[in-house]
Amino acid sequence: MTALQAYTIPPHADGLPLSPPHGGSAVRPKASRPLSTAQRLVVAAAALPLVGIVATAIAAAIGIISVGEMIDIALVLGEDPGMVVFAAMLFCSPTQWLVKRTQVPVRKILGILFAGYAIANFTMFMIEEGLAASLARPFLVAGTFAMLLSIPLLATSGRWAQRQIGMKNWRKLHKLTYVIALALVLHVALVGELGLTGVLVLVALLTRVPPVTKAIRTLGDRLR
C-alpha cells in the first residue's frame, strides 16, 4: 500500500475482494474499523481551518466582513494548513508501517480535505487577482497545477470509481500524487522560501524512497 492510494480505500484493505473470485458471488465488504481517538483528533485538526474558510465565505456573503477581508482570512487559513494536511496524508503510510494499524480511512479523509483546501486557495486567488494575472505569476501557476491534478483524484476517491476504471488504471491515475507533491514544493519555493511546510512534504516524499521505506518497515516489525 502506498501513499498514492491516499484518496480511497483499496479493494483489499479489509481483506475481502470487491469482485467475485472465479465466477463466484461477490463478498460484501466488512464495515470499516472505527477511527481511534488519535485518528479522530488528526482529522478534526485537519478539517478545522477548512471549516473556518467556509464560515468566512458565509460571513462575506451576508455582509459581516468585506470580500477583501474574506480573502485575507481564507488564505491564512488555507495556504499553510493545506500543505500540512497534504504532508500528513503522505505520512499516513509510514505511520501504518510503524504502528501496524491501518491508516487508510484517515488517508482518504485527508486527501479529500486537501482537495478542499486547494480549491479554496485557488478560488481566493482568482477573486483577488483574476485568472490572467494569476497565471502570469510562476508560484500561482505551480499551485494551480497542483489544484487541477487534485480534482481527478478527488473524483475517483470512492470504490465505485475503482470498479469503473479498474484498479490498474486507478493506480496509474493516483500516481499523480507524486506530481502534486512536487508542484506544491515548487509553489512554496517560488514564493521565496521552502518553509516548514515544504520541508514536511519533502520529508514525506523521502519515506517513499525504497531504502527508507524498507528501514521504516523493519523498524515497525521490531517494535511489534
Side-chain angles (χ1 to χ4, degrees):
M1 189 76 60
T2 71
L4 303 181
Q5 297 158 336
Y7 293 90
T8 188
I9 301 174
H12 297 288
D14 53 14
L16 294 174
L18 292 180
S19 57
H22 308 298
S25 59
V27 180
R28 185 178 181 180
K30 294 179 181 178
S32 300
R33 184 177 181 181
L35 298 181
S36 67
T37 300
Q39 290 173 326
R40 291 176 185 273
L41 289 174
V42 168
V43 169
L48 190 58
L50 191 57
V51 172
I53 292 173
V54 173
T56 299
I58 294 173
I62 61 179
I64 296 177
I65 60 175
S66 68
V67 172
E69 290 171 326
M70 174 194 72
I71 292 172
D72 291 340
I73 296 171
L75 289 178
V76 169
L77 292 175
E79 290 183 308
D80 285 347
M83 290 283 291
V84 172
V85 167
F86 185 84
M89 180 191 72
L90 292 181
F91 276 120
C92 282
S93 287
T95 301
Q96 180 169 304
W97 303 335
L98 286 172
V99 304
K100 305 301 180 184
R101 177 190 173 102
T102 181
Q103 304 298 318
V104 172
V106 180
R107 270 207 311 268
K108 178 180 180 179
I109 296 170
L110 292 178
I112 292 171
L113 289 174
F114 166 73
Y117 282 109
I119 293 169
N121 290 339
F122 173 78
T123 302
M124 295 303 154
F125 277 117
M126 291 305 100
I127 294 173
E128 183 178 42
E129 304 269 350
L131 181 60
S134 294
L135 294 182
R137 304 173 69 178
F139 83 95
L140 289 179
V141 172
T144 299
F145 183 61
M147 184 277 297
L148 291 174
L149 291 183
S150 73
I151 293 175
L153 303 190
L154 176 65
T156 57
S157 62
R159 291 185 174 184
W160 180 87
Q162 290 178 339
R163 294 190 184 99
Q164 295 302 307
I165 66 177
M167 281 305 298
K168 183 177 180 180
N169 292 329
W170 183 89
R171 289 191 180 100
K172 289 180 180 179
L173 175 63
H174 281 253
K175 287 181 180 179
L176 290 175
T177 302
Y178 285 143
V179 183
I180 292 173
L182 294 174
L184 288 176
V185 171
L186 180 62
H187 169 69
V188 295
L190 288 173
V191 171
E193 61 179 39
L194 193 59
L196 178 60
T197 57
V199 171
L200 283 174
V201 173
L202 282 176
V203 172
L205 279 175
L206 286 175
T207 65
R208 301 310 185 278
V209 177
V212 179
T213 298
K214 183 178 179 181
I216 296 172
R217 288 182 180 275
T218 300
L219 177 60
D221 291 339
R222 291 176 178 175
L223 293 175
R224 292 186 67 179

